[in-house]
């Protein structure tokens, strides 16, 4: 198919580097999207299908028409599925099938879509969000996240470590021998709307130069956080810090709640084939954001780290040899002392200078968890693929 050439805004005021991709075979929908992009100060490039789209489409905001059937299996989390209000049932049916996060019914959602694209243009002022998830039980994702965050802070990056595992026992215990003063997750449970980034940063505890947001350690129940509160906190943290490292946890709750906020996800696996196979299943549960593999410890005989990463289904990013004192340090609240060791510094350099570099070079991506403020625009939320399909189908039937 020949590439479509939609109307674009006047080149005199539309920045050349502000480009939005739109994939749809509907010329009228393409024209509507071009108008929205122009109002947002961006230039729109359109294609009838992904086979015709430029190779750089994955680096730009993507508007995907509900009419497109040939869609890649893994799409970016900042994709917006667009369609007409007159075809609402079809639009939301496609959203349920694909498990996309953002849906916009045009023309009603034009205002929301302008705001969404406009926020992408100021992304350079926002920090990066890196999720760390264990590929199997006992992989050491929490200690890896803490060591990585501490090493980043030691390199001079304004970094916050976020405990995303509500039932993990409290990440703060690995970093200090007692609960540090400052806000914890339960203190933010009632937060709603926009959170002041500076106030959040000033209120969080600091341990060894590293800012921390943790679930408090204790034997009592940890009440779930409302999605609006947790997403608002991550949004504010992104604006207050250069780097947000989230210990996502392996549970579905953590992946659904925090996975969609991440620019990158680091999957931690021990050097065993069975662990890599388990990691491959975890990758299938992750949102459509770039994933990388970190192999911890030694590897079994006859297997190399590249092969393990291939089994997981993501590129090898870094390795972290076995640290003899890591368990003792974590149990005694002295984990941060290991952040300056040679192996940890090398691991951090591989992750920060290699894995995160593509996101930083093009400006940090805009938030993927957004509240829809206009009629016809909604956020599908962070759910696993199967849960999203089932629940979204129910909402479509209910709306009809």
């Amino acid at each position: 198919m020949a590439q479509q050439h939609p109307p674009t805004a006047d080149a005199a005021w539309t920045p050349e580097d502000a480009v939005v991709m739109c994939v749809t075979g509907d010329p009228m929908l393409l024209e509507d999207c071009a108008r929205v992009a122009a109002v947002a100060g961006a230039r729109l490039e359109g294609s009838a299908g992904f086979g015709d789209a430029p190779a750089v489409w994955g680096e730009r905001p993507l508007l995907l028409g509900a009419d497109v059937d040939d869609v890649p299996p893994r799409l970016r989390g900042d994709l917006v599925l667009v369609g007409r209000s007159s075809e609402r049932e079809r639009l939301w049916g496609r959203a349920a099938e694909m498990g996309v996060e953002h849906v916009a019914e045009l023309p009603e959602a034009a205002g929301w879509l302008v705001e969404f694209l406009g926020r992408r243009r100021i992304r350079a002022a926002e920090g990066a969000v890196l999720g760390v998830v264990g590929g199997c039980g006992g992989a050491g994702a929490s200690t890896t996240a803490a060591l990585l965050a501490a090493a980043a802070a030691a390199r001079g990056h304004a970094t916050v470590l976020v405990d995303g595992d509500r039932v993990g026992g409290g990440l703060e215990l690995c970093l200090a021998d007692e609960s540090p003063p400052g806000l914890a997750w339960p203190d933010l449970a009632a937060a709603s709307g926009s959170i002041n980034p500076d106030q959040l940063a000033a209120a969080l505890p600091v341990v060894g130069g590293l800012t921390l947001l943790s679930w408090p350690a204790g034997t009592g129940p940890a009440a779930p956080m409302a999605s609006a509160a947790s997403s608002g906190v991550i949004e504010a943290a992104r604006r207050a810090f250069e780097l947000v490292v989230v210990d996502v946890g392996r549970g579905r709750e953590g992946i659904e709640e925090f996975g969609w906020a991440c620019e990158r996800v680091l999957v931690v696996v021990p050097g065993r084939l069975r662990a890599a196979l388990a990691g491959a299943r975890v990758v299938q549960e992750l949102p459509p954001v770039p994933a990388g593999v970190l192999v911890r410890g030694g590897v079994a005989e006859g297997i190399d780290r590249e092969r393990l990463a291939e089994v997981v289904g993501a590129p090898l990013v870094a390795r972290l040899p076995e640290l003899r004192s890591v368990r003792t340090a974590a149990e005694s609240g002295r984990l941060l002392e290991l952040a300056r060791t040679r192996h940890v510094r090398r691991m951090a350099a591989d992750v920060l200078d290699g894995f995160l570099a593509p996101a930083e070079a093009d400006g940090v991506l805009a938030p993927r968890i957004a509240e829809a403020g206009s009629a016809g625009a909604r956020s599908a939320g962070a759910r696993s693929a199967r849960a999203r399909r089932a629940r979204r189908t129910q909402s479509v039937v209910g709306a009809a």
Side-chain angles (χ1 to χ4, degrees), residues 17 32 39 55-56 83 101 103 120 125 134 161 190 210 227 238 240 266 273 276 288 290 299 304 311 317 324 327 353:
D17 59 347
D32 287 345
V39 174
V56 296
E101 183 183 4
V103 180
R120 286 296 306 268
L161 174 63
L210 174 65
S227 295
R238 183 199 301 269
L266 190 64
L273 179 60
V299 296
D304 59 29
V311 171
V317 170
R324 293 183 178 180
R327 291 186 179 180
D353 300 335

Side-chain angles (χ1 to χ4, degrees), residues 28-197:
M28 297 299 293
L29 181 61
L30 187 71
E31 184 175 347
D32 287 345
C33 291
R35 291 195 183 96
V36 168
V39 174
R43 176 169 55 87
L44 187 137
E45 293 185 1
S47 296
F50 283 95
D52 300 321
V56 296
W57 74 267
E59 302 173 1
R60 298 168 174 172
L62 175 65
L63 307 181
L64 175 63
D67 60 293
V68 179
D69 294 323
D70 187 14
V71 177
R74 289 179 67 82
L75 291 170
R76 294 165 58 97
D78 54 352
L79 172 149
V80 179
L81 187 68
V82 294
R84 300 191 174 283
S85 302
S86 58
E87 300 177 341
R88 173 175 295 179
E89 185 172 351
R90 178 186 181 188
L91 175 62
W92 286 99
R94 289 288 289 155
E97 293 171 4
M98 298 170 58
V100 299
E101 183 183 4
H102 301 295
V103 180
E105 299 175 7
L106 296 178
E108 287 84 351
W112 174 85
L113 193 53
V114 167
E115 180 182 357
F116 179 87
L117 297 177
R119 293 174 68 188
R120 286 296 306 268
R121 291 190 55 199
I122 60 172
R123 62 188 179 183
E126 300 175 342
V129 181
L130 172 66
V132 181
V133 61
C136 65
S142 296
T143 55
T144 300
L147 291 172
L148 175 60
R155 289 177 53 157
H157 299 293
T159 305
V160 58
L161 174 63
V162 177
D163 183 1
D165 190 352
R166 181 173 61 89
V167 295
L171 190 56
E172 61 184 20
L173 283 183
C174 298
L175 311 181
D177 54 3
E178 60 182 19
S179 298
L183 294 183
W185 272 118
D187 301 313
L188 300 167
S192 61
S194 179
I195 299 174
N196 186 293

Side-chain angles (χ1 to χ4, degrees), residues 199-238:
Q199 291 181 354
L200 175 67
L204 293 178
V206 179
V207 181
L210 174 65
T211 304
L212 171 69
L213 175 56
S214 176
W215 286 95
T219 58
M225 288 279 293
S227 295
S230 57
S231 62
V233 170
I234 296 297
E235 173 87 2
R238 183 199 301 269

Side-chain angles (χ1 to χ4, degrees), residues 74 267 276-277 279-281 283-284 290-293 306-316:
R74 289 179 67 82
V267 183
L277 291 171
R281 292 185 174 179
V283 167
Q284 296 303 314
V293 176
E306 288 75 12
R307 173 56 181 162
L308 290 173
E310 183 180 341
V311 171
V312 174
L316 179 66

